[in-house]
Amino acid sequence: MELDVLRKKRIRMLLLNLGYFLVLLVLGIFLFLTGAGRWIYLPAAAAIVFYILLVRPVKKNYENDLRTAILQHSVLDRLQEAAYGRKEGVPASYLTEAGFINAVDPKSFLSREHITGNAGGLRVEMADVVFPFREGGYNKMFNGCLIHIVNPGADYPELMVRGGDFSALSPGREKKLIEKLGSYIPGSLSLHRAGDTLDVLLRGRFIGFPINPLGEVRESTLKSDPLPEFQTALELARLKAHS
């Protein structure tokens, strides 16, 4: 049923885009054959309005619906009382308190695709984040995802990992989990753990991941996991948590 609904939305979106393309083609041929001059501006403006008011919103809604369906079968399925807000985000203070960056200018910090929920007593919050930072003497922009997990009453030994550098970790289950966290996108992982909180910062990983509107919607599409690191982060949060 869910697949059928998504497939129908995709077909509608493709037909609208095809109709828009045909309108542009007809306008181009008309202009070429008749030299309509300034009179072409009126139908051209109508075509632009048609795209802005109908074609683009239908495409955007389809992409959002498909993305939400994929998240429902992966990230959100691992949470109880899950909530997902596309226009909301995490506060910049999570990044500074974790020591990932020293300070953030509110004007240059952006966070969207906010997910909250509980996972077996763990309080989970995550979102995409964008912010400037210094690396190797250069100003750069970070684009990725922050996973913020709180285990009430826990007392984690403090731990910091930056840029996927695991050299300071002691051998054992903890190191294996952290290496697994960083293995999906090598060099992307930064991690901080202290008190009752675990923060996982993933460069190049997004909750608002791009959708290919031309791609067919299959059962395997819904079963794909856009954030495989999340399950490993939950396992790590449950490790060495001394109440």
Side-chain angles (χ1 to χ4, degrees), residues 61-190:
N61 287 339
Y62 166 73
E63 291 174 351
N64 287 337
D65 289 345
L66 180 55
R67 184 183 297 109
T68 300
I70 293 172
L71 289 170
Q72 288 285 1
H73 287 265
S74 55
V75 177
L76 297 172
D77 190 52
R78 298 187 180 100
L79 296 171
Q80 299 86 48
E81 301 178 358
Y84 173 35
R86 294 190 185 95
K87 296 183 180 180
E88 302 164 9
V90 294
S93 59
Y94 285 178
L95 297 165
T96 55
E97 289 170 4
F100 295 135
I101 49 178
N102 294 325
V104 178
D105 182 351
K107 295 180 180 179
S108 60
F109 176 78
L110 178 65
S111 182
R112 292 290 185 270
E113 307 293 333
H114 190 221
I115 291 177
T116 60
N118 301 304
L122 302 173
R123 294 204 305 263
V124 177
E125 194 172 356
M126 65 182 80
D128 293 343
V129 290
V130 178
F131 58 88
F133 70 104
R134 293 278 294 179
E135 184 178 69
Y138 296 95
N139 292 320
K140 298 184 178 181
M141 290 297 293
F142 180 93
N143 291 272
C145 171
L146 175 71
I147 303 174
H148 179 81
I149 302 175
V150 176
N151 190 348
D155 184 18
Y156 295 119
E158 187 163 5
L159 176 67
M160 173 67 87
V161 173
R162 294 183 182 274
D165 181 4
F166 312 127
S167 58
L169 298 176
S170 301
R173 173 67 173 162
E174 179 180 85
K175 182 177 181 180
K176 289 181 180 178
L177 285 174
I178 295 174
E179 286 178 337
K180 184 179 178 181
L181 264 174
S183 67
Y184 297 99
I185 305 178
S188 70
L189 172 69
S190 292

Side-chain angles (χ1 to χ4, degrees), residues 27 42 56 61 95 124 142 164 188 192 204-205 243:
L27 285 175
L42 185 59
R56 186 170 63 179
N61 287 339
L95 297 165
V124 177
F142 180 93
S188 70
H192 178 260
R205 185 70 81 186
S243 298

